[in-house]
Amino acid sequence: MNPVLLVVAHGSRDPRHAATVHALVRRARSLRPGLRVETAFLDFNLPSVPGVLAALAAEGVREVVALPLLLTRAFHAKADIPAVLRQAPAGLRIRQAEVLGPSPLLVSAVERRLYEAGLGPADKSTTGVVLASAGSSDPEAIAVIAETARELRRTGWCSVRPAFASASLPRTEDAVRALRADGVRRVAVAPYVIAPGRLPDRIAAGAADADVLAGVLGPAPELARLLTARYDEARTAAGLVAVG
């Protein structure tokens, strides 16, 4: 049997977060009808990761691919998730998949949300974009966000600036002001986050002076495809067993 895909989300007190995660997982499940896909949360929401792993082991499942529902490889992917996976029941083999980013599919998902917010390809040359992420103190994560902003810029937007809701600078409102100072005719804020919550709300507040605020990535088709792609990569790669 194929390994079970376990999507590991951070969790939030905001009920919109879990609802969005479940919608994304349903979309991924629809792309691969024969694949069993489960969801678990690190904090705030149920089911928990240990709870799902214990239930799977009790059913006789022997292989799991744990996919961090994260856009960058920062603290949660490097420390929190491996630590909780090591608590899995004996005999359950777990492979930790790579995080979602970077990927061209994420750039496409950002553009999808910008278009849904009212922009179109003809607006690219006169629109600057603030790519607003949750933020991290991890240099690797910050570098990935910066590179994603450059990739988005290469698709034709007149300027793209990264911004952060926490831990790093600039803030969303500062990036909006910087684009205005550069003479950009139209400014759009694209939240580079998967689900609603406290930090995405902070991004939205910082977009008050922008012309366009796109939605969070949510259950975009590109993200669903990326979940199955990361699963396939982990399932076939060597040396990724996190728990024996």
Side-chain angles (χ1 to χ4, degrees):
M1 293 179 62
N2 288 326
V4 171
L5 170 57
L6 175 62
V7 178
V8 181
H10 182 272
S12 171
R13 292 186 177 91
D14 188 323
R16 297 173 299 168
H17 176 92
T20 301
V21 170
H22 287 305
L24 173 58
V25 170
R26 284 194 298 271
R27 183 159 232 162
R29 193 180 286 124
S30 72
L31 296 177
R32 199 73 63 86
L35 174 63
R36 181 173 178 179
V37 187
E38 300 290 345
T39 309
F41 298 89
L42 286 175
D43 205 355
F44 302 117
N45 302 106
L46 294 174
S48 68
V49 178
V52 172
L53 292 176
L56 290 173
E59 290 180 29
V61 172
R62 288 294 172 260
E63 279 197 85
V64 173
V65 170
L67 195 162
L69 195 63
L70 301 168
L71 298 177
T72 60
R73 191 172 175 272
F75 183 79
H76 293 306
K78 294 177 180 178
D80 286 348
I81 292 177
V84 75
L85 294 180
R86 284 193 291 270
Q87 301 171 26
L92 194 60
R93 298 177 64 234
I94 302 178
R95 295 171 181 263
Q96 182 174 327
E98 292 294 335
V99 297
L100 300 185
S103 170
L105 285 171
L106 290 172
V107 175
S108 297
V110 170
E111 288 205 293
R112 172 186 292 275
R113 295 306 188 220
L114 286 167
Y115 294 158
E116 289 172 350
L119 298 172
D123 298 312
K124 285 187 171 186
S125 63
T126 57
T127 303
V129 177
V130 176
L131 186 70
S133 74
S136 173
S137 57
D138 189 305
E140 180 183 350
I142 298 302
V144 168
I145 298 299
E147 178 56 30
T148 302
R150 288 190 288 270
E151 289 298 323
L152 185 61
R153 168 70 180 84
R154 292 184 188 111
T155 68
W157 302 94
C158 76
S159 182
V160 179
R161 287 177 175 262
F164 307 93
S166 69
S168 309
L169 295 174
R171 295 287 182 257
T172 303
E173 54 268 32
D174 298 327
V176 170
R177 283 193 291 267
L179 287 173
R180 297 281 190 211
D182 288 343
V184 173
R185 184 184 305 175
R186 183 188 298 106
V187 176
V189 173
Y192 193 61
V193 294
I194 295 173
R198 178 176 58 87
L199 293 179
D201 284 349
R202 190 178 295 175
I203 289 171
D209 292 331
D211 301 295
V212 175
L213 172 62
V216 300
L217 299 177
E222 294 84 358
L223 263 71
R225 288 170 52 199
L226 191 50
L227 261 62
T228 60
R230 292 289 187 253
Y231 168 82
D232 290 337
E233 292 164 3
R235 185 171 59 87
T236 57
L240 290 181
V241 176
V243 178

